[in-house]
Amino acid sequence: MATAERALHLPELRTAEERGFLSWLMTVDHKRIGILYLVTSAVFFAAGGVEALLMRTQLIRPDNTFLGPKTFDEILTMHGTTMIFLAVIPLAAAFFNYFMPIMIGARDVAFPRLNALSYWLYLAGALILYSSWFLGGAPDAGWFNYVPLSDAFSGPGENFYILGLLLTGFSSIVSSVNFVTTILNMRAPGMSLMRMPVFVWGTFLWSALLLFSAPPFSVALILLLLDRIAGTGFFVPAMGGNALMWQHLFWIMGHPEVYILAVPAWGVISEVLPTFARKPLFGYRGAVIALFAISSLSFTVWSHHMFATGMGPVVNDAFMVTTKLISLPTGALVFTWLATLWGGRIRYTTAMLFAVGFLPLFIFGGLTGLMLATAPADLQLTDTYFVIGHFHYIAIGGILFSMLAAAYYWLPKMTGRMLDERLGKWSFWITFVGFNLTFFPMHLSGLYGMPRRIYTYSPLLGVDVYNLLSTVGAYVLGVGLLITLVNVARSLAVGKVAGADPWDARTLEWTTPSPVPAYNFRVIPLVRGRDALWYEKQAPDGDGRMRGAEEAAGAIHMPGLTYLPALLALGLLVAAYGVNFKLVWLAALGALITFYSIFRQMFEADRGYLLEPRGESE
Amino acid sequence: MSSRPLEALQEEEEREAALHAENVRLAFWIWLASEAVFFASLIGVYVALEGRSVSGPTPVDVFDLPMTTVATLDLLLSSLTMVLAVVSMWRRRPGAVKLWLAVTALLGLVFLGFQATEYSSFMRDGLLFNTNVFSASFYTLTGFHGAHVAFGVAWLVGLLISALRGHLRPEEEHKLEVAGLYWHFVDVVWIVIFTVVYVLGTAA
């Protein structure tokens, strides 16, 4: 084509970065989307935490009447649903969005607009779910949402659960497609797959798991919605439906889900431990293989959640074996971390404390997992507080501790300011003590027979003291987390300036200024080894700085701002309310907005703009 | 710099366009893998509920296998015309691209017509959406497939309009290719539905 015609397509030049409120609505910068994810998931994490404290307050003594049974059911359902779908998955997505492209040496993700879309879909789903409190009552059938509790025996709240989670599921698929494409196609020169940081492998496997587990769950949600609003009987035995089918469809998503939560956490641990042990990760290859093995096996174990449903000994035995099989690669992973610490010159920063604190908690949670995976024991333990104790050791001890390690490790890169180490250490120890005080006694109350999901219990059960301890522990845990929040606020206001590489770290994000400029790298780095920055720091033929592969010829081409992703999510939000309230015109309006933004996006070329680098040295 | 040489910028734009096209192709395969799991789940539900309906009508009462076979052939044929559209694009024959796009979209519409006919005849036989679990799982499965076909038709029409306005430039080949990929995927899903639901359902 003619040069003259191409010249007409040249984008405009910008020197300033995006500013103002509207720019957050229209941004396609993966780092700003990461920040949006981080703030939103922190808000929902706080909401889930408050719900947890309300429950613990109700359970502080037997025969308590602080919350009625109906409110308790709603709060317990919202706590689980919020923590899994609105807090922990998006919290991982926040760090993925911000750091994965930088860690592979890319200027952006493969599809910046899809990235924005995934955030807005998540927000829309979250708003739908939380609007249920104001529009007729929250869902109350537990986060498993088992039929018939969620079907014939529940109020309008379940529709919000269904529609909200359909949107967040869609959001996960969108960002997974984006991440996998980015990792496979956008790596800097020299960044081979086996040189990628384990955290990037975590992103890859997180995405793969979501790609294959979100669709069956979406099907389950759609069928349940039809049962509820169109009078079909997919899960209604009286109509020929199959109630157990819900559990299968749910756990086909629900068990890989556990690893969707855990894989990012393991990625974080695999970055933080080597940095502060000043040693490369021991057995990198083995760790990657273990992550692959765990992720594949996670699709073969869902029925261990259903040992007590009467599937018979053959099925139970099969799923018992596959479940226990997962402990082999998981054990290998744990030894990888322990061997990384072995002989290291360890610096106990707050990030490191959270990462090291993770180890015993995660191991303990894994061991109680083996107990639950034993089918005969499970018949006794299932649906007791033992299960709650077990999975909170994984979910908080394993996952939240890693995410706090990630926050203390990476926030200086994101904000340009350090967190306070003294406050951080207070936060760690109070969180650690509070956590164990909350969840260790639950194993005992569970063994004594306290069932989960009950709003109160009899003093005759003999579990008063364990519940009292758990409730006190929950408040201590809350204080510990609050200190981190204060720490973050304080750091934003008066924190010490971080500089590019405050931890003497190993991966590419530490070669960029803090906070990272919009274009990430003025010069795309040339990667010469695993742990690219560490390699250059050690290399005899280098000066300790990254080498450049290709420099931009001047201004850098960036994708343009757009309101289309937010509009698409708004369309689906409107359509969801239309379906929920059976307003055909509202659903049609939502569909119209949705299709308008899809087709507008498909047939509109993005010219983008040129950004002048700020001129700092890399 | 604003004084940056035009050629350098143009080169960078072209490289970005090529990478974008590669990204779109890869992303589309990944997304289709996820879609395949979605349809596999719906088909699984259909099979799990087969024969559990407490009241009629059942598949043997309503299915019109010859008509559905014709609809299936129509959809298969549309995959062929889609291939011809993509090949014409590779051979730089814009006229043929437009023709085959139009024919493919038309065959898709014909398939939707068959589906509408089938649905209305089933409803005349008293098989409403919530009549029994067969009807519910049947309409859900084929309805989602039909919605995919309808979306595909809209997509093809959009591409056709784009082509008529002269916007399908060589660096946008991937747009037509992924539309083709989508169309074949929807077709393959139908072949599975046709086999599992119609052929095996009538045989049983």
Side-chain angles (χ1 to χ4, degrees):
Chain A
M1 89 211 26
T3 314
E5 190 212 332
R6 298 287 293 166
L8 289 178
H9 284 89
L10 283 184
E12 56 198 285
L13 184 80
R14 276 200 208 183
T15 48
E17 290 185 31
E18 310 168 15
R19 279 186 205 291
F21 176 73
L22 269 186
S23 75
W24 285 99
L25 268 176
M26 296 170 67
T27 187
V28 291
D29 179 355
H30 69 92
K31 295 175 291 296
R32 300 186 112 214
I33 293 163
I35 292 169
L36 285 171
Y37 260 114
L38 187 62
V39 172
T40 315
S41 57
V43 168
F44 283 106
F45 183 78
V50 169
E51 283 150 6
L53 286 180
L54 287 171
M55 277 191 287
R56 280 316 321 167
T57 310
Q58 160 68 20
L59 295 171
I60 192 167
R61 59 184 176 81
D63 297 330
N64 201 359
T65 52
F66 171 59
L67 304 170
K70 168 81 179 154
T71 318
F72 186 87
D73 285 353
E74 291 179 339
I75 286 178
L76 114 87
T77 302
M78 288 299 271
H79 166 72
T81 312
T82 305
M83 285 304 195
I84 302 269
F85 296 102
L86 308 185
V88 179
I89 295 185
L91 194 57
F95 292 115
F96 290 160
N97 265 299
Y98 200 101
F99 288 107
M100 180 274 288
I102 313 181
M103 286 172 115
I104 61 171
R107 288 223 170 92
D108 211 330
V109 291
F111 305 104
R113 288 183 170 195
L114 277 188
N115 216 18
L117 176 63
S118 76
Y119 171 74
W120 295 111
L121 287 173
Y122 152 56
L123 184 66
L127 291 177
I128 290 175
L129 192 61
Y130 266 76
S131 68
S132 65
W133 286 111
F134 314 105
L135 297 170
D140 54 3
W143 83 275
F144 304 174
N145 214 41
Y146 278 175
V147 292
L149 285 177
S150 56
D151 204 339
F153 298 130
S154 69
E158 294 308 321
N159 289 349
F160 293 92
Y161 174 98
I162 293 167
L163 293 161
L165 293 192
L166 272 175
L167 285 198
T168 57
F170 190 20
S171 153
S172 303
I173 290 177
V174 168
S175 56
S176 300
V177 169
N178 205 351
F179 288 159
V180 172
T181 310
T182 305
I183 291 170
L184 292 179
N185 273 4
M186 308 276 286
R187 282 166 287 130
M191 177 64 82
S192 66
L193 288 176
M194 288 313 271
R195 282 180 183 174
M196 293 195 314
V198 178
F199 186 72
V200 177
W201 277 116
T203 318
F204 184 86
L205 291 166
W206 179 90
S207 308
L209 288 171
L210 274 170
L211 278 172
F212 298 122
S213 66
F217 185 45
S218 300
V219 165
L221 291 170
I222 290 166
L223 301 186
L224 184 58
L225 185 69
L226 291 173
D227 271 9
R228 291 177 55 89
I229 67 172
T232 56
F234 289 106
F235 303 118
V236 184
M239 293 178 72
N242 184 345
L244 210 56
M245 196 166 71
W246 169 269
Q247 295 197 27
H248 282 293
L249 287 170
F250 180 86
W251 287 117
I252 286 172
M253 177 282 301
H255 203 83
E257 179 75 37
V258 173
Y259 296 95
I260 290 165
L261 305 177
V263 162
W266 297 336
V268 169
I269 295 299
S270 304
E271 298 307 318
V272 173
L273 289 183
T275 295
F276 295 112
R278 289 184 258 200
K279 273 177 70 189
L281 185 74
F282 178 88
Y284 170 91
R285 248 164 228 280
V288 173
I289 292 168
L291 285 176
F292 263 93
I294 296 167
S295 304
S296 330
L297 283 172
S298 72
F299 280 99
T300 67
V301 302
W302 80 89
S303 288
H304 73 219
H305 294 271
M306 299 158 68
F307 282 155
T309 56
M311 295 179 301
V314 176
V315 175
N316 281 3
D317 284 355
F319 281 95
M320 185 163 100
V321 170
T322 54
T323 302
K324 296 200 178 200
L325 212 54
I326 286 200
S327 60
L328 297 177
T330 314
L333 209 52
V334 169
F335 281 110
T336 297
W337 296 321
L338 292 177
T340 304
L341 290 175
W342 190 279
R345 289 177 296 133
I346 296 174
R347 287 174 291 167
Y348 282 107
T349 58
T350 309
M352 185 64 165
L353 281 178
F354 275 109
V356 171
F358 152 93
L359 288 169
L361 305 182
F362 176 67
I363 292 169
F364 183 80
L367 292 176
T368 52
L370 281 172
M371 293 168 73
L372 286 165
T374 309
D378 187 69
L379 285 177
Q380 177 68 26
L381 296 171
T382 192
D383 282 337
T384 67
Y385 264 73
F386 188 89
V387 178
I388 302 197
H390 154 71
F391 80 69
H392 281 87
Y393 264 78
I394 299 292
I396 297 186
I399 296 158
L400 182 64
F401 270 56
S402 323
M403 286 300 147
L404 287 169
Y408 277 92
Y409 184 59
W410 275 322
L411 273 176
K413 176 55 65 184
M414 299 171 83
T415 64
R417 289 178 183 277
M418 302 299 287
L419 292 155
D420 186 75
E421 281 291 313
R422 231 168 61 94
L423 273 180
K425 282 171 185 164
W426 276 102
S427 173
F428 168 75
W429 286 111
I430 295 174
T431 307
F432 191 84
V433 170
F435 165 77
N436 283 295
L437 192 57
T438 312
F439 295 104
F440 188 78
M442 285 188 186
H443 293 93
L444 301 172
S445 52
L447 284 171
Y448 280 105
M450 178 162 165
R452 67 197 287 196
R453 302 196 193 91
I454 52 161
Y455 82 104
T456 193
Y457 52 94
S458 159
L460 300 174
L461 202 55
V463 293
D464 306 10
V465 63
Y466 304 121
N467 277 294
L468 178 66
L469 287 175
S470 286
T471 302
V472 172
Y475 278 95
V476 176
L477 178 60
V479 170
L481 295 173
L482 215 53
I483 295 177
T484 286
L485 202 62
V486 170
N487 200 353
V488 172
R490 193 187 159 281
S491 141
L492 287 174
V494 297
K496 213 171 71 194
V497 172
D501 184 15
W503 308 123
D504 188 16
R506 312 168 309 134
T507 39
L508 283 175
E509 73 272 28
W510 305 103
T511 66
T512 64
S514 313
V516 187
Y519 44 83
N520 294 355
F521 300 97
R522 192 166 59 80
V523 181
I524 295 289
L526 175 68
V527 176
R528 299 201 297 160
R530 189 176 298 154
D531 293 340
L533 177 58
W534 171 269
Y535 182 90
E536 296 299 336
K537 285 174 179 173
Q538 308 277 316
D541 62 337
D543 58 356
R545 290 156 158 260
M546 280 311 294
R547 297 179 176 214
E550 48 190 80
E551 188 161 2
I556 293 167
H557 189 196
M558 304 291 294
L561 298 179
T562 173
Y563 61 89
L564 287 175
L567 188 69
L568 201 166
L570 178 72
L572 287 175
L573 178 84
V574 171
Y577 280 117
V579 170
N580 193 5
F581 298 111
K582 295 192 184 176
L583 296 172
V584 176
W585 64 269
L586 195 64
L589 176 70
L592 205 65
I593 300 173
T594 309
F595 285 113
Y596 168 78
S597 34
I598 292 178
F599 282 98
R600 181 78 193 273
Q601 163 65 37
M602 279 167 85
F603 297 104
E604 180 197 82
D606 170 30
R607 289 171 52 210
Y609 65 92
L610 290 167
L611 189 70
E612 194 72 47
R614 275 191 258 143
E616 73 289 300
S617 61
E618 299 282 325
Chain B
M1 303 290 142
S2 40
S3 62
R4 177 182 192 188
L6 199 62
E7 294 76 38
L9 188 62
Q10 209 172 302
E11 202 179 288
E12 192 179 306
E13 263 196 0
E14 270 161 25
R15 206 177 40 190
E16 270 177 23
L19 178 63
H20 180 70
E22 276 314 302
N23 285 344
V24 169
R25 291 190 185 99
L26 176 62
F28 219 79
W29 279 104
I30 296 165
W31 180 65
L32 286 183
S34 189
E35 281 282 283
V37 179
F38 180 83
F39 275 109
S41 307
L42 277 177
I43 292 169
V45 167
Y46 180 87
V47 171
L49 295 180
E50 201 167 22
R52 291 175 58 113
S53 296
V54 284
S55 60
T58 58
V60 268
D61 303 329
V62 289
F63 280 163
D64 178 1
L65 203 53
M67 187 184 84
T68 317
T69 309
V70 175
T72 306
L73 288 175
D74 165 83
L75 202 60
L76 278 174
L77 196 61
S78 77
S79 251
L80 176 66
T81 58
M82 189 71 227
V83 170
L84 290 174
V86 173
V87 170
S88 307
M89 177 190 65
W90 285 340
R91 294 190 178 154
R92 303 270 177 276
R93 289 182 191 151
V97 173
K98 287 165 204 162
L99 174 71
W100 291 123
L101 270 181
V103 173
T104 311
L106 198 67
L107 289 172
L109 278 179
V110 170
F111 177 83
L112 289 174
F114 272 114
Q115 200 167 31
T117 316
E118 183 191 43
Y119 279 15
S120 61
S121 109
F122 284 11
M123 287 184 186
R124 271 198 310 277
D125 293 344
L127 193 72
L128 301 178
F129 186 56
N130 53 11
T131 300
N132 54 30
V133 287
F134 156 63
S135 74
S137 51
F138 171 81
Y139 284 123
T140 307
L141 173 58
T142 56
F144 266 104
H145 180 267
H148 276 70
V149 175
F151 184 83
V153 169
W155 190 352
L156 293 175
V157 170
L159 280 171
L160 184 61
I161 294 169
S162 212
L164 287 172
R165 289 162 65 190
H167 284 320
L168 274 185
R169 294 197 300 269
E171 70 266 26
E172 290 179 327
E173 280 185 352
H174 65 278
K175 287 194 176 178
L176 198 61
E177 284 172 16
V178 295
L181 202 54
Y182 175 86
W183 195 258
H184 300 316
F185 170 77
V186 171
D187 198 354
V188 167
V189 169
W190 179 256
I191 291 169
V192 178
I193 294 176
F194 180 65
T195 312
V196 172
V197 175
Y198 289 88
V199 178
L200 296 179
T202 322

